[in-house]
């Protein structure tokens, strides 16, 4: 099995043939795990974090958690603003308050989020967000 394009493999940056075990070891080495323990400069994971005092471990963990939470909040805020804004515009344009507004807003939002990945991703995003919006709107308007 050859993973083309990886350094040290055929077609990679360094050329040459590696065994499957060597390629797997290289892939694992290139992976960076997204954990608070990997964020310590010059550290090698959990062992370096465990050597720190408890107060410092907690400080670094909470700091990392806060920055990641803020990043996620900005992303959700952007999606929510896109959806709410497009739904408001569509409802104002159509002068109706029905389920089609939320479906169309979901399609616009999903398509806009997927447009950078190409037309197929935009179409799938449009369909997915529209279906989700329809399901949520149906649930919220149930008697």
């Amino acid at each position: 099995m050859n993973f083309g394009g990886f350094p040290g493999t055929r077609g990679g940056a360094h050329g040459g043939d590696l065994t499957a075990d060597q390629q797997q070891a290289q892939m694992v080495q290139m992976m960076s795990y997204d954990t608070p323990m990997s964020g310590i400069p010059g550290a090698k994971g959990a062992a370096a974090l465990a050597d720190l005092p408890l107060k410092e471990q907690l400080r670094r963990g909470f700091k990392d958690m806060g920055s990641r939470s803020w990043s996620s909040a900005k992303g959700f805020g952007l999606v929510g603003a896109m959806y709410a804004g497009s739904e408001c515009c569509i409802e104002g344009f159509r002068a109706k308050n029905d389920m089609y507004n939320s479906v169309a807003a979901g399609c616009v939002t999903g398509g806009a989020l997927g447009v950078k990945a190409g037309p197929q991703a935009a179409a799938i995003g449009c369909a997915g967000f529209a279906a989700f919006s329809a399901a949520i709107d149906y649930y919220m308007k149930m008697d």
Side-chain angles (χ1 to χ4, degrees):
M1 176 192 258
N2 190 357
F3 300 110
F6 285 104
T9 64
R10 187 179 314 182
H14 303 292
D17 290 324
L18 296 176
T19 66
D21 291 335
Q22 290 171 330
Q23 289 177 6
Q24 184 179 11
Q26 251 186 356
M27 268 189 13
V28 169
Q29 184 182 9
M30 286 188 289
M31 290 181 192
S32 66
Y33 292 96
D34 197 19
T35 62
M37 293 170 230
S38 65
I40 301 171
K44 294 288 184 188
L49 188 65
D51 292 340
L52 296 174
L54 178 62
K55 190 174 181 179
E56 181 65 17
Q57 289 178 22
L58 291 173
R59 187 188 71 77
R60 289 185 185 199
F62 284 128
K63 184 177 179 182
D64 184 56
M65 183 175 58
S67 65
R68 290 170 196 268
S69 297
W70 180 246
S71 176
S72 294
K74 288 190 295 187
F76 281 117
L78 176 66
V79 171
M82 287 174 62
Y83 177 78
S86 60
E87 185 179 28
C88 184
C89 290
I90 292 169
E91 187 174 326
F93 181 73
R94 292 184 67 229
K96 293 181 182 178
N97 185 7
D98 58 7
M99 192 164 125
Y100 296 111
N101 295 335
S102 63
V103 172
C107 181
V108 168
T109 303
L113 291 173
V115 76
K116 286 184 181 179
Q120 185 178 7
I124 292 171
C126 170
F129 265 78
F132 182 72
S133 298
I136 294 298
D137 203 33
Y138 176 77
Y139 176 76
M140 295 299 284
K141 292 183 180 179
M142 279 185 2
D143 291 324

